[in-house]
Amino acid sequence: MAENETNIFEENQEPEIPANAGRTVLRLWKTMGRQQIRLIIVSVSVILYTVLSVAAPVYSAGIVDLLWREIREALRGEDVFRVTWDHGGREIMILLLIYTATGILYTFQSFLMASFAERLSLELRTRIGEKLNRLPLSFYDDHKTGEVLSRATNDLDKMAEVMQTGLLKLFTAVGMVVGSLIMMFRFHIGLTLIFLIFTLLSMLSTKLFAARTLRYAMRRQQAVSRVTGQVEEAYSGRNVIKAFNQEENSRNAMKEAVEELADTSRKADFMMNAVNPFIRLVNRAGQAVIAVSAGKLLLDGVLTVGTFQAFFQYVYQASEPLTEAAYMINSLQSSIASVERIFRLLDEKEIRPEPDRGKVRREQNETGTDNTGMELQENEGGWQKAGGRGQVRFEHVRFGYAPNHILMKDISFTAEPGRKIAVVGSTGAGKTTLINLLMRFYEVNGGRILLDGRNTGNMSYDALRRNFGMVLQDTWLFDGTVAENIAYGKPDASREEIVAAAKAARADFFIRTLPKGYDTVLSGDAENISAGQRQLLTIARVFLCDPPILILDEATSSVDTRTEMEISRAMKDLMKNRTSFVIAHRLSTIVDADLILVMQNGNIIEQGSHRELLDAGGAYADLYNSQFA
């Protein structure tokens, strides 16, 4: 019987039960596609490997009996014992070839299974990558970043690992156990029943230990998480802790968490280290009983020397996979649960399919009009509305994040080309939602949004979003050079265009003071430059794209006064001759807006110019006066 039973107690192993294992396995089989052939070849290889592995001990029994006879005859005739080709040599060579063939087959199926697992993982990873690009923004609002990343990393890695090792072990184990038990029953039924009794005792003991060990392991993991959280909190908040003289409380909290971890670790380690000697004792007792019983049968002439040693080979071949069965089943079960989560991600509702761009372009080329019948003119970006760009019209728009909870009931307004539209309101009033609908991050539940007379719901996402440039409160820069970050929206831009955009955004001066100028690499969320400089780079990015419509979200709220003035001048230049939507928190920045939309609970309750709204004495006037009281 095997001695390495403790691998079923993998630290922090948490049981995962798939909701519908059969359906998941069937779908995974269909997903394999051409990889099914590899799995079939592996199955054939496992069958051959099992047949040869089961045949080897019984064949070795004949060789041992042959050699034993030759030895006894040599002793009786006082002759020298020799192994020749005709007397044992040929049989030993065949046995050697059998073991060589099993080694080759095992290596072959291990290589093929590794290739199968990685190719399947690549296929699913590719599907996940494509799926994430087709999911609506609401999906990311409802799911944590770590949860989504876990599907493409942890779950796929777990599936690949189990497919590569666990599935191969399961195939092999089933064949070895069945084949070995058949041969053991063939040799002697009584000895086989003794083996099964002690194996059952071993497995029951393993199960009892496993339940308690798993419980302590889960408690230890919780304690580790608590310690990790305490360390992270103490490190990230070290200045605040010192400022408020909370060092002693922080130390006590850490001490309590560490003591809890030490206690749970001691119990978990004891259980994991105690199980191995106990199970080994059960196995050794079973082997001792089998050895004594088989020895008596050997002396009685019921068993030969060859069958005696062959029986013990089958004992090992059958007991090892049996004692590993709990681990293999748990791993496969956990892997299927991981695959279920992957399929749930792949089954998430996608954004509405884009219209056929080729069909739309052909219709425009043939008629020179869009679906509203208005005349179009051609430019580098395709067909645009004649007589101006950047008109936005909301017509009786209805929207809710959930169908039974409508947030916007009837939104209507018109933003004329080149005008500045300010959106104001308290937190949660619906300002960002309005912009999300304009960009089609969400689909409207009713009404329509028109861009230059065209229904945005009938436009491709690419064609729609090329009309917008966004400068948000939170800057986003990726690891790369300054020039690459500016050219993010226009990767094929020349260096001259990039420099011109930076000058327009008033960023050229500080860029040239960097160690390598435009080739300076920004890394770690661009922490090697200031917040104001990061904001100027995002403005330069929009300048380079030259969109007809701007979306600005209080981009100066986190910078000093001098930098705010610089950014404001850059944004003022950026807004010239462009339709601008400004989400305003400080009303002093939008007194010159052509149209101010006052939002409350998702709806527009007032709209007009600054003077008109002040004279009306409504919600805007109260909000404005509260800021300047």
Side-chain angles (χ1 to χ4, degrees), residues 363-543:
E363 291 176 354
Q364 293 174 349
N365 288 338
E366 291 171 2
T367 64
T369 61
D370 69 357
N371 58 345
T372 64
M374 296 183 68
E375 183 182 355
L376 298 171
Q377 62 185 15
E378 189 176 15
N379 62 17
E380 293 179 359
W383 289 89
Q384 293 291 346
K385 196 68 56 183
R389 297 171 60 200
Q391 185 194 62
V392 175
R393 183 183 301 162
F394 276 61
E395 294 184 349
H396 307 290
V397 170
R398 286 171 52 85
F399 172 74
Y401 289 101
N404 57 349
H405 183 67
I406 298 298
L407 178 66
M408 294 180 171
K409 297 181 173 60
D410 188 3
I411 298 291
S412 296
F413 69 89
T414 299
E416 297 296 343
R419 300 298 178 89
K420 179 178 179 180
I421 314 300
V423 187
V424 302
S426 59
T427 301
K431 302 185 296 294
T432 303
T433 302
L434 188 76
I435 300 304
N436 287 338
L437 293 178
L438 183 59
M439 296 286 291
R440 265 189 78 191
F441 292 146
Y442 294 93
E443 300 291 345
V444 299
N445 296 118
R448 62 178 186 168
I449 302 173
L450 304 178
L451 173 60
D452 291 331
R454 289 189 62 194
N455 188 343
T456 58
N458 296 331
M459 299 173 66
S460 69
Y461 295 108
D462 178 65
L464 171 65
R465 292 168 186 166
R466 276 191 288 112
N467 290 279
F468 295 93
M470 301 183 74
V471 180
L472 304 178
Q473 193 170 358
D474 297 324
T475 58
W476 181 80
L477 299 172
F478 60 87
D479 288 355
T481 66
V482 170
E484 289 171 343
N485 272 279
I486 294 176
Y488 181 75
K490 190 178 179 182
D492 57 345
S494 65
R495 178 55 65 95
E496 290 74 18
E497 291 177 309
I498 293 172
V499 172
K503 288 181 178 179
R506 301 172 184 267
D508 179 70
F509 174 77
F510 94 80
I511 292 175
R512 294 188 184 278
T513 64
L514 297 175
K516 295 183 179 180
Y518 284 86
D519 295 318
T520 301
V521 176
L522 304 178
S523 59
D525 294 328
E527 292 181 354
N528 48 343
I529 60 175
S530 70
Q533 291 171 337
R534 291 197 290 269
Q535 194 63 273
L536 289 175
L537 290 183
T538 63
I539 294 174
R541 180 187 291 169
V542 177
F543 262 116

Side-chain angles (χ1 to χ4, degrees), residues 550-561:
L550 295 176
I551 296 173
L552 309 173
D553 184 3
E554 202 64 67
T556 61
S557 61
S558 59
V559 297
D560 59 87
T561 305

Side-chain angles (χ1 to χ4, degrees), residues 1-5 198-199 202 278-288 319 323:
M1 300 180 199
E3 298 177 7
N4 57 344
E5 292 85 359
F198 278 92
T199 298
S202 176
F278 181 80
I279 301 249
R280 185 183 290 115
L281 176 64
V282 174
N283 290 341
R284 288 290 179 264
Q287 291 176 2
S319 61
T323 51

Side-chain angles (χ1 to χ4, degrees), residues 326-385:
Y327 168 68
M328 288 188 293
I329 292 173
N330 186 56
S331 296
L332 288 170
Q333 183 175 267
S334 177
S335 175
I336 293 173
S338 296
V339 174
E340 272 192 348
R341 289 193 294 269
I342 293 171
F343 284 150
R344 280 201 297 270
L345 173 60
L346 294 176
D347 291 338
E348 286 287 344
K349 186 178 180 181
E350 300 179 2
I351 55 179
R352 195 169 68 189
E354 295 190 346
D356 186 344
R357 299 186 191 180
K359 180 180 179 181
V360 172
R361 180 58 58 86
R362 286 193 301 272
E363 291 176 354
Q364 293 174 349
N365 288 338
E366 291 171 2
T367 64
T369 61
D370 69 357
N371 58 345
T372 64
M374 296 183 68
E375 183 182 355
L376 298 171
Q377 62 185 15
E378 189 176 15
N379 62 17
E380 293 179 359
W383 289 89
Q384 293 291 346
K385 196 68 56 183

Side-chain angles (χ1 to χ4, degrees), residues 609-624:
S609 67
H610 171 70
R611 178 48 55 190
E612 290 171 346
L613 294 176
L614 281 183
D615 293 342
Y620 177 81
D622 293 340
L623 188 61
Y624 183 83

Side-chain angles (χ1 to χ4, degrees), residues 122-383:
L122 176 62
E123 169 69 19
L124 290 174
R125 203 180 300 273
T126 302
R127 291 192 182 188
I128 290 175
E130 294 172 348
K131 181 72 176 185
L132 293 178
N133 288 326
R134 299 194 301 268
L135 290 173
L137 192 63
S138 57
F139 171 84
Y140 297 98
D141 291 340
D142 297 337
H143 295 78
K144 296 179 180 179
T145 303
E147 180 185 350
V148 177
L149 291 176
S150 179
R151 301 295 169 265
T153 54
N154 297 342
D155 285 331
L156 274 176
D157 290 342
K158 183 184 292 186
M159 181 209 70
E161 181 181 355
V162 173
M163 286 289 178
Q164 183 174 336
T165 57
L167 193 61
L168 184 59
K169 280 187 176 181
L170 180 64
F171 287 167
T172 306
V174 171
M176 294 296 287
V177 169
V178 173
S180 298
L181 286 176
I182 290 174
M183 297 306 298
M184 289 165 68
F185 274 113
R186 234 183 103 194
F187 283 149
H188 198 275
I189 295 177
L191 293 177
T192 306
L193 292 176
I194 294 174
F195 165 77
L196 290 176
I197 290 171
F198 278 92
T199 298
L200 182 61
L201 288 175
S202 176
M203 294 181 70
L204 288 175
S205 302
T206 299
K207 185 176 181 181
L208 291 175
F209 273 99
R212 299 196 55 151
T213 303
L214 183 59
R215 189 162 58 248
Y216 284 125
M218 293 173 66
R219 290 179 185 173
R220 174 163 60 182
Q221 180 61 16
Q222 293 172 352
V224 168
S225 299
R226 184 180 174 189
V227 170
T228 303
Q230 287 286 344
V231 171
E232 183 180 359
E233 181 182 278
Y235 181 78
S236 60
R238 58 191 181 279
N239 293 335
V240 177
I241 292 173
K242 289 181 180 294
F244 287 90
N245 296 318
Q246 292 298 308
E247 293 93 337
E248 186 66 26
N249 289 336
S250 178
R251 189 181 302 112
N252 291 337
M254 177 61 71
K255 181 180 179 182
E256 181 182 344
V258 170
E259 286 178 349
E260 181 186 0
L261 175 60
D263 182 59
T264 55
S265 295
R266 182 171 58 251
K267 293 177 180 178
D269 289 339
F270 173 79
M271 292 301 298
M272 283 191 289
N273 291 320
V275 61
N276 200 21
F278 181 80
I279 301 249
R280 185 183 290 115
L281 176 64
V282 174
N283 290 341
R284 288 290 179 264
Q287 291 176 2
V289 173
I290 291 174
V292 171
S293 302
K296 184 177 184 307
L297 294 173
L298 178 64
L299 294 175
D300 293 341
V302 177
L303 296 179
T304 65
V305 175
T307 53
F308 182 89
Q309 63 85 27
F311 190 88
F312 271 90
Q313 286 192 58
Y314 287 123
V315 166
Y316 178 78
Q317 286 184 353
S319 61
E320 183 177 10
L322 280 174
T323 51
E324 287 185 345
Y327 168 68
M328 288 188 293
I329 292 173
N330 186 56
S331 296
L332 288 170
Q333 183 175 267
S334 177
S335 175
I336 293 173
S338 296
V339 174
E340 272 192 348
R341 289 193 294 269
I342 293 171
F343 284 150
R344 280 201 297 270
L345 173 60
L346 294 176
D347 291 338
E348 286 287 344
K349 186 178 180 181
E350 300 179 2
I351 55 179
R352 195 169 68 189
E354 295 190 346
D356 186 344
R357 299 186 191 180
K359 180 180 179 181
V360 172
R361 180 58 58 86
R362 286 193 301 272
E363 291 176 354
Q364 293 174 349
N365 288 338
E366 291 171 2
T367 64
T369 61
D370 69 357
N371 58 345
T372 64
M374 296 183 68
E375 183 182 355
L376 298 171
Q377 62 185 15
E378 189 176 15
N379 62 17
E380 293 179 359
W383 289 89

